[in-house]
Amino acid sequence: MIGVRSYVDGSIELRAKVTDKIGVVGFADAGNAFLETYPDFSEDLKVGVGAGLRYFTSLGPIRVDVAIPLDQGRDDPDYGIYIGLGQAF
């Protein structure tokens, strides 16, 4: 799908520090994008779950997450790897 007019997304995350510098996280994300101006809730939401590591620096945490789709669609990847700096939210 190229270009959308609306989307819905949400997530839940559980974070825990293992040491002063290392943390772990588990999460679940759900969402979808729609061609209509308002979300069409007759379409299923895409849901994925994952886990990650955090390394806490003075600039913010370095995040490395791995996620998999729960109901993989035909064109969906088997997994996703995400690397970032700072809090996700």
Side-chain angles (χ1 to χ4, degrees):
M1 178 184 318
I2 297 176
V4 298
R5 299 186 74 191
S6 62
Y7 72 95
V8 170
D9 68 353
S11 63
I12 187 165
E13 185 172 283
L14 179 62
R15 302 175 189 170
K17 272 195 165 182
V18 177
T19 70
D20 285 342
K21 292 283 189 181
I22 302 292
V24 294
V25 62
F27 59 89
D29 299 324
N32 207 342
F34 308 94
L35 294 174
E36 298 80 16
T37 303
Y38 298 101
D40 178 5
F41 290 106
S42 67
E43 295 182 39
D44 290 339
L45 294 178
K46 299 282 189 171
V47 179
V49 296
L53 290 172
R54 304 291 183 264
Y55 179 73
F56 298 98
T57 71
S58 59
L59 294 174
I62 296 173
R63 304 185 327 257
V64 178
D65 297 331
V66 177
I68 59 170
L70 288 185
D71 52 350
Q72 188 175 5
R74 183 174 53 101
D75 295 325
D76 293 340
D78 294 334
Y79 63 92
I81 298 174
Y82 306 93
I83 299 172
L85 175 63
Q87 292 294 352
F89 53 89

